[in-house]
Structures are given as C-alpha cells and as structure tokens.
Amino acid sequence: MKYGFFDDSAREYAILTPKTPYPWINYLGNEKFFSLVSNTAGGYAFHTDARLRRLTRYRYNDIPLDTNGRYFYLQDGDALWSPGWKPVKADLDSYECRHGFGYTRFNSSKNGLRAKVLLFVPNGADAEVQMVTLTNESRAAKDVTLVSFVEWCLYNALDDCTNFQRNFSTGEVEILGGAIYHKTEYRERRNHYAFYSVNATPVGFDTDRESFLGLYNGLEAPQTLLDGKSANSVADGWSPIASHRLRCTLAPGESKTYVFVLGYVENDPADKWAPAPEPGLLQTNPRMRVLNKAKALALQERFSTPEKVMAAFDELRAFWDGLLSRFTLQTGNARLDRMALWNQYQCVVTYNFARSASYFESGIGRGIGFRDTSQDMLGVVHQIPERARERLFDVASTQFEDGSAYHQFQPLTKRGNADIGSHFNDDPLWLVLGVGGYVRESGDTGFLRVQVPFDNDASNTATMFEHLRRSYHYTLDHLGPHGLPLIGRADWNDCLNLNCFSTDPNDSFQTCTNKDGANAESVMIAQMFVYVTPDYAAMCRLLGLEDEARFAEDAAKKMAKQICETGWDGEWYLRAYDDFGHKIGSKECEDGKIFIETQGFGTMAQIGADRGYPLKALDSVKKHLDTQYGIVILDPPYRDYHVELGEVSSYPPGYKENAGVFCHNNPWIIIGEIRSGRPADAWEHYTKIAPSFLEDISDIHRLEPYVYAQMVAGKAARRHGEAKNSWLTGTAAWNFVALSQWICGIRAGYDGLTVEPRLPAEVRHATIGRVFRGVKYTVEVVNENPAGAVTLELVSGDAAIDGTLVVPGPTADVITLRALVR
Ligand code: GLC
Ligand code: GLC
C-alpha cells in the first residue's frame, strides 16, 4: 500500500495522508541550524549539537507518537484545525505534505480556507523560516485567526527531560512586538538565546505553557483557542513557550501571507545586554537586564517579507540542485533514477547529523562515531569534498599516538568521548578508507602532509599520512593466536563484544571488558586490512614512499593467505574467534553459523579468488541469509544469551545484529557480486532493500519510502519486513557506493576515472553524469550484456582511454564517452 508518490519533476515526495504508518520526516538545515519535521509538523530544532543546544522541546516515546512540533492553529467560524493535521487532528477537506531537499511544505484546506506552509532553514542563517499563506477559496468573507506554537527546550536536552527540580524555576522570556525571546540561563553562563517572531502585529500572545493550554488540556485543544483569546502570559519558570495570535479578514479569493522566524543568536559575552529596556518590552522580571537583540532584529529583517523568503528559498533550491548535479543517472527505470537522487540527499543528511538526531536517535546519546563518519564520507565526498576534508581532520585529531582512536567525539567540542573510550579495533582502518576516498576524489595530495594532532593536543602532531601509517600498523601490531587481528571491544559489528563477558544487566556491552583481549580475533578486520591496502599503498606512492607501499602489499598478501588458512570455513568465511579460540560463524556452531560481514568484505577484497572462495561465499549468502526483504546479518539467530559473544546474542531473534536485515552491509554483498562477475545477482539484492522499490509495501515496511532504514526485521521475527531506524545510518553511504561505483561503475581513482557500468539487463541505455575534479563527464551506456566486456569510446573532449580508465587531458572540461557493455 502507498501513502504518497514521488513527484519526480518537482523532486519532492508527496504524502497524501497524515496517517502514515509512522511519522515520515525530513531534515531542514545544512550548516548549524537544524530542524526535524514530520509529515504532521512534529519535530524539533537545535543549533550545532542536538544535546547541548536544543532549541525546542520534544517528548520521546510519547503517546500518541510525535506530539510536539511547530504547530499552527486556524480558527475559522466554528472550525478549529491545523494545516499539518496535528495537533488538532480535525478532518481536513484536503491535505498534502511534500518533503523536498532541505524543505517541507504543507497544503491543506477546510471549509473553503486553504493554508500553505513552507518550512526551511535558509543557507547562511541561524533560523527556521516558516511562511504561512492563507487563502479564502469560499464565496463569503472570512474572519480567520491564526495561532502559532513552539515549546522551548532549556538548551541541554538531557537535563531538560530529567532535572525538573531546577528547570521548573529557571524559565525566562522577553516579549517585544511580534517577537518572543527565550532567555533562560542567559543571565548566567549562556551567551545565546532563541526567538520566535512574526512579521505582523499579534493581537495576543502566550509564553507560559500552562496559561496557553490550561492545566488539563492537551495540544489538540488549548484553552486559549477554546476561549477565543490568548492569555497574554509572561512565563515565569515552568515551561516557557512562544505563541502568537493573528487575526485577518479575507475577502473571497483573497490571500494573506505571514512569515515566522524561529531564530538562534550568539552574543559576545562583553556585548550581551541592551543599554535599557525597549519601549513596550515585557519580560519575566522587570528588574532584570534585557537582551542585546541586534542580531535577532537583523535576522527578522532579513526575512521580513514573502519576497525575501522566496529569494532565500530559490537560493536553497539552487544549492541542492548544485550538490545533486555532481552525480546523475537516467536509465528510464524511475525507481532506480529516484534512488540516485534521494540516496545522495540522505547521504548529506546522515553526514551532517552522524547518528545524533532522528526519530530513533534521541539526540542526547552518542556524538559522532569515528567509524561512522569515516564511512559516511564515502557518500558525500563527490558533493562536498571541502567539508569531508574538515571532518577527516577532526576525526584524525582524536586518534592516539599508537594508532588507536576514540570511538566517538562530540561535534560541539570536537574532543574524543572519554565515556566510551577506545579499543574498537576496526576504527583505525576506516580512517585509511575515508582519507583514501577523499584523496581519490579531490586529488588533494597535500592533505596527506597536513599536521594533525593526536588526542586533540596541539603540541603533539604528525602528518595526516603518519596518522594513516599508525592506523595501518596498529592492525599488524595487534594480531592474535590465529594470526588474525584482535577484535578489542568490537569491530564494525558493535555488538560482537568478545571480551565483555558481562553478567550484569547494568553494564554497557560496549564499555565493559572482563578479558585481557589477547585472544578474540576478527576475520572481518583482517579482510578490511586487505581491502584498504591498495588505497594505503597508492597514498604511500603519492608521497614517494615506495618501500612502505611494497611492505604493505606484502603484508596484505600474507594476511589474505592467513584468512584462507584460518578464516575460511569450507563454504564461507568465518566471522571471528572467541576468547577461548572457538570459531564464530562456522558450520560447527549451533547458532550463528554464518555472518554477512565477512562474506561482504571477503568478496569485496576477493580473498581466496584463486581458490574460488568469493563465489562459494556468495552462494552461501543466497542459501542461508537471503530473504524477500534483504539479506539477514547472520543465521541461525542466537536463541540464548552467550556471555562470550556479548550484545549480538542479547537481541531477540530477527532483530538488529541478531539476524535482522542490517541494510548497512547488504551493499557489501552487492559490491562483492559485481566484483565476482555477477551483476544480475547484485541487482536482485539491490532492489530488495532500496526504499523506492518498497513504496508499494509501505504498510509492511512502515518507514519513509525515500530513505534507507538501518534495519528491517529478519525472517526469524514475527514482524519480518518491518523497518526501524530510518535516516541516520551507514546504509546510505554504502548503498550509494554500490550504486554509483559498482552498478553504474563510476569510480574515482588516483589517476583518473574508471568507467565500468554493470547496470541491470532491463536497462538497455543509460546516461550517467559525473563531475570529477572539475571536469564534467557524460557517459552514454549501451548495455547489451551486463556481465560482458566494457569498451569505452571517447565521443568528445580531451582524454586518454586505457581500458576502462579515463585520464583527462590538460585542457579537459567536458568529456563525453560511450560505454558498450556486451
Ligand atoms: C550502527 C552503528 C555502527 C555499527 C553498526 C553495527 O549502525 O552506528 O557504528 O557499525 O550499528 O553494529
Ligand atoms: C549500534 C548497534 C546497536 C548497539 C549500539 C551500541 O548502533 O546497531 O545494536 O546497541 O551500536 O552503541
């Protein structure tokens, strides 16, 4: 069942009912000010850090779901309703929510009154702009009341939902004209405040939640709306809010547009206060000093008219069109072409937010993961290489001298998170992969020579390349009894906690360690080591370090041989060895006989290709792990908790790391299939998890059909096929890598661009566009036999062709190629 449709020409997903199977959300903002917005106008806003600078309040795990947001109430005669359906939930005559790239709009009507709402965060502005247009489509004049509502969060989102003994006494506001200012804690250590303004003179306002709602009412029926007048409340502790009441008379056919700005301001500590209260100012306590509002007024002025708003909106659209023009795909298969677009959008959003704030991540948990962001990079580096560079610098700055790394860091402070610490032994290798991806894309060899601190200590630095060298050697210096890398706390699978041995439910699986770590080994880290070696060796050579390059190639050969000897189970690659030296992911195991991760990295790195291992492993994936909704992470699921395995065995069968479909590593199999010469199998795997292909089963899948989710319940679960954790997941980047680099076959290399399309058989002709190091490539693909040989022809432009490698000439700016696959 479908709940909307892709409007391809508008580049929007149009949702036609507020009653989607779960809130279907979008993200606004691309720099520092961010908002989440659901298809019923729910969500929240924050600046830079979802935990430490939360601007509006959200209640997690609420019933019904998703009941706080930026809300509008419309009163027209006896009718009370909301353009986003919530919070009033009155039946609407029409409803539509459209999520676009960086913006969301609503278009609803009731009783001849139409409300259009446009929400976005303009580039270069610390504000969410909300433009509301009301149109009288009836034949009689209408007196319409519009009431706005946001609830402030007292900035620290964790403290805000736990520390009531303090927080119910600290709330402070100021009110001036159409603007309501949230100044809680500004008098002490905060140099920032938020505001909510409208470009009109309200006939009433509220800033105290209880006065607005009434003690016993919910957001669907505020007392002030039932009474027909605002309480004009001035918050004094408790829960400060911001609500405006506006009134207009609309003749038949007449429209009226209001602009609301939800803004954030930081002031210099020396310049925090205004010299004197402005005339007409109201504030919590008239004896207090008043905010310096200069920056807020400038923001309000910047978006004071619909014309200014539309100019900023056009800029935003042009910005996204630019970002999304660097890789384009036209195949005639609409669902595939949509993925090329929406997958890239999700990659940028995931990159911005890491795993912090979604409808499954509360924004008060972890910061930015070392391995997560190094992988997210792979999905955005062709769009925003400068920002990838900056983030890679920050990530590498949290590395320790021995090559290990903090597992996470906080975006606000950029410092390693000591609570979670280090010793996830795969982390260092992801840095090599991320930096390799960046240097291949940008050609910026100089980055390898930049000085980067260890553990954020500016007095202790080494070149970026030296960081990579230590990452690479960290693996070699930490080998276990079978000659495979020691796993530490976990590898990519955060739940394979082989040194944890926890029997206390109060322990965190990720930080509890009861073993010395000298035995448990990861086959996956061994395979990653082999997989990243070509990148590492190439970067050595860029710096003239031929000896180190040869050393690495030799080390990778030995590691691959070791995997064949101690990491192969006969029909598939083993997953790991536990602390006792027992196999994990072997036919000898009762549960957890086969895992996806090592079949993915083993085949991506083509380990044991001369012995036929990759194809055997891929066939085993089909036989044991594949389902109609994607490939499960392992099989059979663990029925019992295994102290020697950790969190993986803690989940019920079919969920998360215990045999859910982890969409993050399905693309590893897709890539492995293509590398092993079976594009048709790759395509089948691709279509099973790509969200646009699942639109018709939205009732089963439940989450947004325009973005990937981290997990789909596996075959052992009652709710097989149901997705969870949409948006912020490494799934986005890896599926884009699978699509762009392997299915479309466009790969950035150190010397040029490789073009080797492996499109599905049903696509006979395709056009692929790619901007690479400033040169615009267009590839016309003629696809006669997807697994056949690829012949490249230069149609126009300055380039040399060497097999499937295109090396641009000195005058290249536009290059057109034909790729014959037959
Ligand atoms: C989550 C984590 C990621 C981890 C994966 C598997 O997606 O963000 O770091 O690799 O789960 O456990
Ligand atoms: C990853 C895993 C999750 C685990 C978490 C711990 O997100 O997906 O299962 O609980 O890491 O940090």
Side-chain angles (χ1 to χ4, degrees), residues 355 361 366 371-372 375 407 426 491-495 633 656-657 662 664 710 728-730:
R355 304 293 173 270
E361 301 278 7
R366 48 189 161 160
R371 86 155 82 81
D372 290 338
Q375 290 169 83
H407 194 47
D426 63 317
D491 59 21
W492 171 87
N493 190 329
D494 260 340
C495 300
I633 196 170
K656 296 281 286 180
E657 279 85 342
F662 228 83
H664 187 146
Q710 179 209 53
L728 306 183
T729 160

Side-chain angles (χ1 to χ4, degrees), residues 2 56 101 115 152 166 320 332 400 467 493 512-513 751 767:
K2 281 170 62 161
T56 59
F101 301 139
W152 300 116
R166 169 179 165 87
W320 276 104
F400 297 107
H467 279 257
N493 190 329
C512 160
T513 304
D751 305 318
T767 306

Side-chain angles (χ1 to χ4, degrees), residues 73 75 143-148 175-180 198-206 212 224-225 227-233 243-249 256 258 260 282:
Y73 298 86
Q75 217 154 18
D143 285 321
V144 179
T145 299
L146 170 66
V147 173
S148 66
I175 303 143
L176 183 66
I180 293 165
V198 61
N199 66 342
T201 307
V203 295
F205 65 87
D206 272 294
F212 174 72
T224 48
L225 278 136
D227 292 349
K229 67 180 203 309
S230 298
N232 293 346
S233 57
S243 170
H244 310 91
R245 175 177 290 261
L246 299 154
R247 203 170 285 153
C248 62
T249 302
K256 166 97 190 148
Y258 297 100
F260 296 83
L282 287 172

Side-chain angles (χ1 to χ4, degrees), residues 177-303:
I180 293 165
Y181 296 85
H182 179 218
K183 71 187 287 201
T184 302
E185 290 188 345
Y186 188 79
R187 55 199 294 276
E188 25 137 345
R189 295 159 299 172
R190 295 194 182 277
N191 300 315
H192 48 259
Y193 62 84
F195 68 87
Y196 191 41
S197 66
V198 61
N199 66 342
T201 307
V203 295
F205 65 87
D206 272 294
T207 65
D208 174 59
R209 193 178 79 196
E210 206 175 290
S211 311
F212 174 72
L213 288 178
L215 186 51
Y216 299 105
N217 306 40
L219 286 168
E220 70 287 350
Q223 193 60 45
T224 48
L225 278 136
L226 302 180
D227 292 349
K229 67 180 203 309
S230 298
N232 293 346
S233 57
V234 181
D236 185 11
W238 296 107
S239 290
I241 61 158
S243 170
H244 310 91
R245 175 177 290 261
L246 299 154
R247 203 170 285 153
C248 62
T249 302
L250 296 174
E254 198 189 347
S255 293
K256 166 97 190 148
T257 298
Y258 297 100
V259 180
F260 296 83
V261 178
L262 176 64
Y264 170 85
V265 168
E266 283 175 4
N267 274 339
D268 192 322
D271 211 15
K272 280 176 80 157
W273 305 105
E278 300 85 348
L281 181 95
L282 287 172
Q283 64 164 323
T284 299
N285 187 329
R287 295 181 53 232
M288 307 311 287
R289 289 198 280 171
V290 304
L291 297 169
N292 175 349
K293 301 187 184 64
K295 290 182 183 170
L297 294 172
L299 257 178
Q300 290 160 28
E301 180 55 33
R302 210 172 133 188
F303 304 108

